């Protein structure tokens, strides 16, 4: 049954979130004024059109209508399928110099921008989702979360909602087979997500605990291996002032790749190596005694041509450590980037009370709360904890069930 239209006249604000909510709520959506004030390049960006193509692959019966200027989008949702798919996250013509700038308005977004968008949909397909994506895996942490962030933050959070469904199938996972730094990409990522058999598990995640250790990884592509060691050493120099258990792995990649052949199946798999662009990034995870994992990441802007303003590896390590300490200071049970993902899964949970403790709410999270109220009719109760300077959000789930799952 299709519900009434969701109508938005403020353009591409929360583009992925609105489309995902429309599909989950089985309501058609109309988005107007998509960059209508941009005289030079109005309408949808290439990466947004690519995300629409990905949604079309993952569903059956979805109709998408875009006007001639690309400033108006109409989508009528279909049924979520799951299954095996491949998707190239790059635009077809990737020689535009404007795409070389790491800003939210460029023509290229990372692989994780696509994976993060479809995560709520992947749980409610007819079959488990196996997705192979090609594009940028690193170097866009100022705009998009990295693939490693999804692996260390969002997927563990997802497992809390489907813990009772993992007895018969593997947990959700994401694997980087080939690194590809911004701007030219060249990476390859495999993503797997099981389906929910009936309903999600109600979440009760309010005990922050005490930070017991910090883990991390420094990643380089086509850069001297000593750079990752300098990043790790600098970050540990800051964190060791607070706790002794700090371990940062160094992951260096060159342009070469290894190929393995399977004579029985006559297939060849290529792993390792990296794309043509250089890159250097750092991901840190603070783990608490109650299972809380707070992530922070940063990367060097390789496109910076002024050597006087280019960031050194030591500066990158210190900046990453400072960002992690800021997330710890906020005191939530999930980091800032994961807030809206946790809240949408709480909305889709059973008709029971779900609670979570968050730090400072981001503007994106506040806008998401308004969207969830309009689409699902779910209102969150927000209670401030002045002692810890956090907020506890609670709601009653909608009792969302996986109706697309094949009957057995």
């Amino acid at each position: 049954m299709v519900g009434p239209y969701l109508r938005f006249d403020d353009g591409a604000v929360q583009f992925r979130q609105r489309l995902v909510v429309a599909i989950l709520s089985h309501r058609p959506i109309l988005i107007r004024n998509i960059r209508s004030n941009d005289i030079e390049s109005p309408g949808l960006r290439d990466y947004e059109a690519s995300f629409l193509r990905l949604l079309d692959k993952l569903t059956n019966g979805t109709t998408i209508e875009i006007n001639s200027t690309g400033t108006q989008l109409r989508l009528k949702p279909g049924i979520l399928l799951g299954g095996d798919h491949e998707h190239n996250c790059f635009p077809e013509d990737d020689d535009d110099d404007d795409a070389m700038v790491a800003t939210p308005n460029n023509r290229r977004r990372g692989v994780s921008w696509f994976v993060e968008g479809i995560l709520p949909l992947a749980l409610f397909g007819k079959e488990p989702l196996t997705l192979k994506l090609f594009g940028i895996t690193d170097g866009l942490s100022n705009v998009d979360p990295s693939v490693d962030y999804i692996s260390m933050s969002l997927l563990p959070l997802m497992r809390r909602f489907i813990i009772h469904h993992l007895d018969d199938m593997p947990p959700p996972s994401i694997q980087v087979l080939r690194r590809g730094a911004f701007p030219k990409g060249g990476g390859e990522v495999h993503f797997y997500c099981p389906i929910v058999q009936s309903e999600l598990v109600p979440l009760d995640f309010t005990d922050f605990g005490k930070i017991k250790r910090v883990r991390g990884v420094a990643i380089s592509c086509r850069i001297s291996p000593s750079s990752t060691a300098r990043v790790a050493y600098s970050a540990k120099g800051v964190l060791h002032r607070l706790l002794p258990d700090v371990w940062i792995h160094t992951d260096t990649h060159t342009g070469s790749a290894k190929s393995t052949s399977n004579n029985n199946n006559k297939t060849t798999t290529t792993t390792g190596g990296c794309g043509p662009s250089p890159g250097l990034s750092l991901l840190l995870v603070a783990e608490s005694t109650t299972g809380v994992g707070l992530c922070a990441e940063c990367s060097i802007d390789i496109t910076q041509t002024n050597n006087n303003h280019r960031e050194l590896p030591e500066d990158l390590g210190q900046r990453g450590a400072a960002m992690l300490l800021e997330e710890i200071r906020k005191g939530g049970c999930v980091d800032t980037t994961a807030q809206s993902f946790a809240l949408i899964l709480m909305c889709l949970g059973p008709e029971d009370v779900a609670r979570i403790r968050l730090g400072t709410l981001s503007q994106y999270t506040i806008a998401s709360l308004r969207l969830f109220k309009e689409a699902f009719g779910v209102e969150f109760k927000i209670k401030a904890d002045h002692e810890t300077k956090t907020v506890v959000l609670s709601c009653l789930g909608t009792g969302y069930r996986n109706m697309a799952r094949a009957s057995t």
Side-chain angles (χ1 to χ4, degrees):
M1 180 178 178
V2 178
Y5 261 93
L6 292 170
R7 301 176 185 271
F8 302 97
D9 296 324
D10 53 352
V13 178
Q14 287 193 303
F15 182 79
R16 296 171 302 164
Q17 189 86 288
R18 289 174 174 177
L19 295 177
V20 167
V21 163
I23 293 175
L24 290 173
S25 61
H26 307 291
R27 297 174 63 179
I29 184 173
L30 176 63
I31 302 177
R32 295 193 181 103
N33 302 323
I34 301 175
R35 300 183 183 89
S36 57
N37 295 327
D38 190 341
I39 299 177
E40 295 182 357
S41 180
L44 293 171
R45 297 286 186 256
D46 289 345
Y47 58 84
E48 293 167 339
S50 180
F51 186 74
L52 290 172
R53 290 193 292 270
L54 178 58
L55 292 181
D56 188 52
K57 293 178 182 178
L58 301 182
T59 57
N60 182 29
T62 296
T63 60
I64 302 171
E65 300 175 8
I66 304 173
N67 67 353
S68 57
T69 60
T71 57
Q72 179 173 305
L73 166 67
R74 189 190 306 268
L75 181 144
K76 295 182 180 179
I79 300 174
L80 290 168
L81 294 178
D84 297 342
H85 301 278
E86 292 186 5
H87 185 71
N88 188 356
C89 303
F90 256 23
E92 296 298 330
D93 52 336
D94 56 357
D95 296 329
D96 190 355
D97 292 338
D98 293 339
M100 303 297 180
V101 183
T103 66
N105 293 323
N106 65 15
R107 296 173 55 253
R108 300 177 183 177
R109 301 300 285 264
V111 167
S112 52
W113 186 83
F114 295 83
V115 176
E116 183 190 24
I118 65 168
L119 276 180
L121 299 177
L123 292 170
F124 298 99
K126 183 178 180 180
E127 299 175 345
L129 175 63
T130 302
L131 185 61
K132 183 185 296 185
L133 300 108
F134 305 92
I136 300 170
T137 62
D138 301 279
L140 283 173
S141 59
N142 63 320
V143 180
D144 303 322
S146 66
V147 176
D148 301 276
Y149 172 85
I150 292 178
S151 176
M152 299 300 295
S153 179
L154 297 185
L155 294 189
L157 178 61
M158 178 187 283
R159 296 187 191 107
R160 290 181 175 269
F161 288 90
I162 61 173
I163 187 66
H164 295 167
H165 303 280
L166 298 180
D167 297 335
D168 302 326
M169 59 186 67
S173 62
I174 189 167
Q175 181 183 9
V176 181
L177 296 188
R178 178 181 170 89
R179 296 279 177 182
F182 179 83
K184 294 185 178 181
E188 180 179 348
V189 172
H190 287 192
F191 171 65
Y192 168 80
C193 183
I195 61 172
V196 174
Q197 299 294 334
S198 55
E199 290 183 328
L200 297 175
V201 177
L203 182 69
D204 188 7
F205 199 20
T206 58
D207 187 4
F208 179 78
K210 301 291 185 181
I211 298 297
K212 63 178 181 179
R213 64 184 181 185
V214 173
R215 296 293 182 263
V217 56
I219 304 166
S220 69
C221 296
R222 293 185 178 271
I223 288 183
S224 172
S226 63
S227 297
T228 54
R230 291 163 62 186
V231 171
Y233 182 81
S234 177
K236 288 189 290 186
V238 176
L239 297 173
H240 272 155
R241 303 174 189 174
L242 304 172
L243 74 167
D245 193 356
V246 179
W247 188 81
I248 301 176
H249 171 63
T250 57
D251 187 12
T252 59
H253 295 267
T254 61
S256 59
K258 298 179 180 179
S259 298
T260 57
S261 299
N262 188 331
N263 295 327
N264 296 329
N265 297 330
K266 297 182 179 180
T267 59
T268 302
T269 303
T270 302
T271 59
C274 63
S277 298
L280 182 63
S281 58
L282 172 67
L283 173 76
L284 297 173
V285 184
E287 303 175 10
S288 82
T289 54
T290 58
V292 172
L294 301 179
C295 292
E297 61 177 342
C298 57
S299 59
I300 284 183
D301 184 7
I302 300 298
T303 62
Q304 176 63 255
T305 58
N306 190 344
N307 292 329
N308 295 329
H309 294 87
R310 182 169 292 180
E311 194 172 24
L312 296 174
E314 289 79 7
D315 299 332
L316 181 70
Q318 292 179 4
R319 180 159 66 95
M323 293 173 65
L324 180 66
L325 295 177
E326 175 63 17
E327 287 291 344
I328 297 173
R329 183 197 65 80
K330 294 177 181 179
C333 290
V334 298
D335 51 73
T336 304
T337 306
Q339 288 177 354
S340 60
F341 177 66
L343 296 179
I344 190 174
L345 293 186
M346 290 170 63
C347 293
L348 300 173
E351 297 180 12
D352 197 357
V353 177
R355 300 188 306 158
I356 189 170
R357 183 182 300 276
L358 300 179
T360 304
L361 298 182
S362 66
Q363 291 298 319
Y364 189 88
T365 301
I366 295 172
S368 297
L369 290 173
R370 299 190 181 104
L371 177 62
F372 300 153
K373 180 180 178 180
E374 180 177 359
F376 300 118
V378 175
E379 292 190 36
F380 281 81
K381 180 182 178 181
I382 303 177
K383 182 181 179 181
D385 187 343
H386 298 287
E387 182 179 354
T388 60
K389 296 182 180 179
T390 59
V391 290
V392 177
L393 281 78
S394 59
C395 74
L396 285 175
T398 58
Y400 194 90
R401 304 181 71 87
N402 187 3
M403 303 304 295
R405 179 176 63 90
S407 300
T408 56

